[in-house]
Amino acid sequence: MDGKIIVVTSGKGGVGKTTATASIGAALALEGKKVAVVDMDIGLRNLDVVMGLENRIVFNIVDAVKGRCKLKQAAIKDRRIDNLFLIPASQSDNKNVLDPEEMVRFSSMLRRHFDYVFMDCPAGIERGFENSVAAADEALVICTPEVAAVRDADRVIGLLYARSITPKLVVNRIVPALVERGDMLSHVDMVDVLSVELIGLVEMDDQVVVSTNTGVPLVMQKTSKAGAAFRRIAMRLNGQVDLPIQVPEASGGLFKKFRSKFGLKK
Amino acid sequence: MKTTHPEKTPVRLKGVGNSLCVMLDPMTSADHLRTELEKLFTGLKNEVENARVTIDVGAPEGYDELIDELGRYLKETFKVGSVERARRKKPRSRRIAAESKVDRLRRRDMERSWHDYRTDVLMLTGRVRSGQKVTARKHLLILGDVNPGAEVMAGGDILIMGSLLGTAIAGHPEGNENIILALDFRPTQVQIGSYVAAGLPASPVKVTEFAHVENGNIVVENYLEANPFGRLPWPQAR
Ligand SMILES: Nc1ncnc2c1ncn2[C@@H]1O[C@H](COP(=O)(O)OP(=O)(O)OP(=O)(O)O)[C@@H](O)[C@H]1O
Ligand SMILES: [Mg+2]
């Protein structure tokens, strides 16, 4: 196998990297791909919690990289999805226990075992970021419609280009009603500034929290708009590049219809 | 008039080319002058044949006979083309001459002041992103955008053919004459020389604006309306 390593990063914290990693990873696994999601947030692991796998952790990424266990032992199989594996972070170590060179070596092993490997990058641009992007073939930059998040995403995009990685943008936590009222940055403005390829628009969705608490992957919840958006991102990553990007719309279509009828919609 | 004959020798040559100007002291005897001219012109060899010679006796009038005599001698002996009396500049004609020197300079400025000018412009294409910094020794021209959180700095002017959203520092460290221009001017902060401005109100529509220092303040104006350089009389290297 000659898998792809995709780093999920943002610069700013709390914008949805872990949510995106778990969801896109699950969606690709449901498509039949063999997927590993790797928690690179050493010292602050939480991908395992989001996936409801924390009680199965025996070994972690540091053990696997340092050769203290086999890759198979560190990769925890998901409870519901067959082809999905989690490589958890170590909770007790410090980010500096790993270095980019080790990650490059480890990643070539991951490529042999999986179709897709997602690196859930910690916030910031320090060692944890360096380790996560060291071996990445592609990058997903997660950004929320906030000025600070855009600023950090821009910084990270610059750093990724400097490493010859062309990033793709996911805008997360969009509230369509706010965007329509002009109270939230629109993805158009964000793409204007960031000028990278957009790969998906994800709405703010209560199902995200529900999913974390019940352990049912977001992408398996039929009614979740965020889940559907992550599924489409997964399909685009998996080669369906022509799949159109759906722009989240506020409910209350009547009002919208009126606006477009009178030519007010921009 | 200040003396033009400071040296002992009564004959001096002022210019060599297709026109030779001979300065001589008319108080010296014609014979002596002729000997001196002979030395001088023999030394010039082939350059004198057919040359235009002017004789400057240090005065606008008088000594016509002397000039004629020496002229005939030069034509016969050295086959010079013509011999004339040098026209001394009268005060008024000197002013005209001074003006024509200005004219000459002006024409040179208008037509070719930039010819031998080695300009110092750093021209870049692309987007300067947050956390990135571009520094130019003199002028900086960017075909692209400057994002919020990015910084562009120049010893001279800064021209952004795109959106300026980050920080721009022109005339670093003390060029208060420099400008910052952007097709879409919405900077976080601008600095020109020793002046700083922030929180400039953004124009509601995208217009080309530029910042410059006026009476100790940074002023932002519509570039096409102000047209600051369109008023210069001719193109000048900057
Ligand atoms: N589309 C969404 N709708 C609603 N809530 C969301 C959405 N995406 C993420 N969240 C919530 O935002 C919070 C932060 O998400 P997440 O942990 O995925 O971010 P992160 O970028 O991984 O954070 P960190 O930088 O701390 O690792 C979580 O509580 C998550 O449930
Ligand atoms: Mg996270």
Side-chain angles (χ1 to χ4, degrees), chain B residues 139-192:
Chain B
H139 305 306
L140 176 62
L141 170 58
I142 296 182
L143 306 181
D145 298 333
V146 178
N147 276 3
E151 187 179 303
V152 291
M153 191 197 264
D157 301 320
I158 296 177
L159 310 179
I160 310 294
M161 300 298 131
S163 299
L164 171 60
L165 306 177
T167 294
I169 302 170
H172 182 77
E174 46 202 17
N176 292 342
E177 302 298 306
N178 290 112
I179 66 155
I180 298 169
L181 176 147
L183 299 188
D184 173 24
F185 190 90
R186 289 179 284 151
T188 311
Q189 186 196 87
V190 294
Q191 297 179 24
I192 298 179

Side-chain angles (χ1 to χ4, degrees), chain B residues 170-231:
Chain B
H172 182 77
E174 46 202 17
N176 292 342
E177 302 298 306
N178 290 112
I179 66 155
I180 298 169
L181 176 147
L183 299 188
D184 173 24
F185 190 90
R186 289 179 284 151
T188 311
Q189 186 196 87
V190 294
Q191 297 179 24
I192 298 179
S194 45
Y195 299 93
V196 184
L200 305 157
S203 299
V205 285
K206 283 186 186 176
V207 289
T208 305
E209 291 175 305
F210 76 113
H212 60 115
V213 175
E214 202 176 290
N215 303 325
N217 283 308
I218 290 186
V219 179
V220 178
E221 285 183 88
N222 181 318
Y223 179 76
L224 289 175
E225 274 171 19
N227 200 5
F229 302 114
R231 297 211 183 96

Side-chain angles (χ1 to χ4, degrees), chain B residues 40-235:
Chain B
L40 195 68
F41 275 61
T42 313
L44 289 171
K45 289 188 184 119
N46 355 352
E47 290 197 334
V48 295
E49 199 172 329
N50 274 324
R52 260 176 63 207
V53 177
T54 51
I55 293 180
D56 187 348
V57 292
E61 279 146 295
Y63 309 108
D64 289 344
E65 278 184 22
L66 177 68
I67 292 171
D68 282 352
E69 191 194 331
L70 293 177
R72 247 178 284 122
Y73 165 71
L74 289 175
K75 280 183 189 159
E76 281 167 19
T77 319
F78 296 101
K79 300 194 173 64
V80 303
S82 66
V83 179
E84 284 170 24
R85 157 184 223 119
R87 280 184 216 179
R88 302 300 298 181
K89 290 155 193 159
K90 293 179 192 127
R92 202 186 52 150
S93 63
R94 196 156 57 210
R95 210 184 67 229
I96 292 169
E99 269 174 10
S100 66
K101 192 179 167 198
V102 169
D103 282 346
R104 255 201 324 280
L105 280 175
R106 172 175 300 174
R107 198 166 49 246
R108 203 206 61 204
D109 275 351
M110 286 173 66
E111 288 168 4
R112 44 167 309 181
S113 70
W114 54 86
H115 269 216
D116 304 317
Y117 187 79
R118 296 185 70 89
T119 183
D120 239 334
V121 179
L122 174 61
M123 175 161 159
L124 303 174
T125 54
R127 177 177 297 271
V128 189
R129 294 183 182 275
S130 175
Q132 294 177 337
K133 188 172 170 176
V134 171
T135 316
R137 214 157 54 79
K138 200 151 181 222
H139 305 306
L140 176 62
L141 170 58
I142 296 182
L143 306 181
D145 298 333
V146 178
N147 276 3
E151 187 179 303
V152 291
M153 191 197 264
D157 301 320
I158 296 177
L159 310 179
I160 310 294
M161 300 298 131
S163 299
L164 171 60
L165 306 177
T167 294
I169 302 170
H172 182 77
E174 46 202 17
N176 292 342
E177 302 298 306
N178 290 112
I179 66 155
I180 298 169
L181 176 147
L183 299 188
D184 173 24
F185 190 90
R186 289 179 284 151
T188 311
Q189 186 196 87
V190 294
Q191 297 179 24
I192 298 179
S194 45
Y195 299 93
V196 184
L200 305 157
S203 299
V205 285
K206 283 186 186 176
V207 289
T208 305
E209 291 175 305
F210 76 113
H212 60 115
V213 175
E214 202 176 290
N215 303 325
N217 283 308
I218 290 186
V219 179
V220 178
E221 285 183 88
N222 181 318
Y223 179 76
L224 289 175
E225 274 171 19
N227 200 5
F229 302 114
R231 297 211 183 96
L232 292 180
W234 58 78

Side-chain angles (χ1 to χ4, degrees), chain A residues 13-19 21 39 41 44-47 50 120-123:
Chain A
V15 297
K17 295 178 292 295
T18 300
T19 307
T21 303
D39 192 344
D41 205 346
L44 268 178
R45 73 174 184 216
N46 51 30
L47 185 55
V50 169
D120 181 12
C121 184

